[in-house]
Amino acid sequence: MIDPTPNETDATAFGGQMGGEYLEAIGKSDLATLSEEEWARFLDAVVTGYCDHLRALAAKDRSRLDAMVPEVPF
């Protein structure tokens, strides 16, 4: 990712945390030892964590931006 936004950087860290939590849950830390199924679940944890967190941040941004828009005076 070239020049990530602050939200993308935050979501990347969150996705990594989700991947780490999955690895802890299965008691592994060496990615080379993961089975195909474990690898797929690890990637799912990282990507889903990233996407879900990015959407949550975007929703917060949208709410903040909507609150800044003045109402139409008529």
Side-chain angles (χ1 to χ4, degrees):
M1 184 180 313
I2 298 171
D3 297 327
T5 66
N7 281 1
E8 290 168 334
T9 299
D10 194 24
T12 298
F14 188 84
Q17 182 181 359
M18 295 296 97
E21 287 181 14
Y22 171 72
L23 293 175
E24 285 181 12
I26 63 170
K28 292 188 176 182
S29 60
D30 184 353
L31 299 181
T33 66
L34 298 180
S35 69
E36 285 186 39
E37 182 179 338
E38 289 169 336
W39 177 249
R41 289 184 182 205
F42 168 72
L43 290 179
D44 184 56
V46 172
V47 173
T48 300
Y50 173 86
C51 292
D52 288 351
H53 195 67
L54 194 59
R55 277 192 290 275
L57 292 171
K60 284 173 49 178
D61 287 347
R62 178 80 264 157
S63 295
R64 185 176 53 83
L65 290 171
D66 288 345
M68 294 170 54
V69 177
E71 292 185 27
V72 178
F74 52 87

